[in-house]
Amino acid sequence: MKKIFIVLLLFSASITATAQEAKWFTDANEAATIAIKTKKPLLFFFTGSDWCGWCIKLQKEVLLTPEFVQWAEKNVVLVELDFPKRKALSPELTKQNNDLQQMFAVRGYPTIWFVQPSKKDGKVAFEQLGSTGYVAGGPQKWIEGAESIIKKK
């Protein structure tokens, strides 16, 4: 029994270590600057990180997998827009997340929007490419759906 527990701990640690390789921004303007330079779309992940069961399920089944991390590195700039219940965000981050939630008419979590940023008159604008949420079937199935959205641009 102890050996199984240790193996599971090691497996869990390797998933977490891989997931940490993915760079998630919380500042949408900073991420947009990088996305514009690299000509990649943004992936806005609207989540309730500490209370939303489907958000946690999406992270475990897709966003924390090596397949997703590898895909994301090549294809998108990641932005987490969190709406936690048990931890406080800075007033600036709360305002940014609320403004983007309204802009994209997000009504439930998880919601993922793919957007193409551009700068006009010193301000960042976001062109909507499409949205998704939780998709059953693991990382490959989710990535297929994401590819169909970002390849339309």
Side-chain angles (χ1 to χ4, degrees), residues 23-82:
K23 171 70 172 149
W24 285 88
F25 291 89
T26 55
D27 182 328
N29 285 323
E30 180 184 0
T33 300
I34 291 168
I36 291 166
K37 283 182 187 175
T38 60
K39 296 182 169 94
K40 293 178 183 177
L42 293 166
L43 180 156
F44 282 161
F45 175 39
F46 291 88
T47 182
S49 66
D50 63 1
W51 61 269
C52 171
W54 287 104
C55 301
I56 294 164
K57 188 173 177 81
L58 176 61
Q59 286 188 316
K60 285 181 182 176
E61 291 182 15
V62 178
L63 305 180
L64 296 177
T65 65
E67 296 91 342
F68 175 81
V69 171
Q70 185 178 19
W71 175 84
E73 194 174 278
K74 293 176 187 172
N75 294 286
V76 294
V77 176
L78 303 168
V79 183
E80 181 183 61
L81 302 167
D82 198 7

Side-chain angles (χ1 to χ4, degrees), residues 108-127:
Y109 306 102
T111 297
I112 293 181
W113 268 99
F114 294 95
V115 300
Q116 192 64 55
S118 61
K119 283 207 175 181
K120 295 176 184 172
D121 302 322
K123 292 188 177 188
V124 177
F126 301 110
E127 175 193 351

Side-chain angles (χ1 to χ4, degrees), residues 10-26:
L10 291 174
F11 178 71
S12 174
S14 71
I15 290 175
T16 303
T18 302
Q20 290 173 349
E21 293 173 18
K23 171 70 172 149
W24 285 88
F25 291 89
T26 55

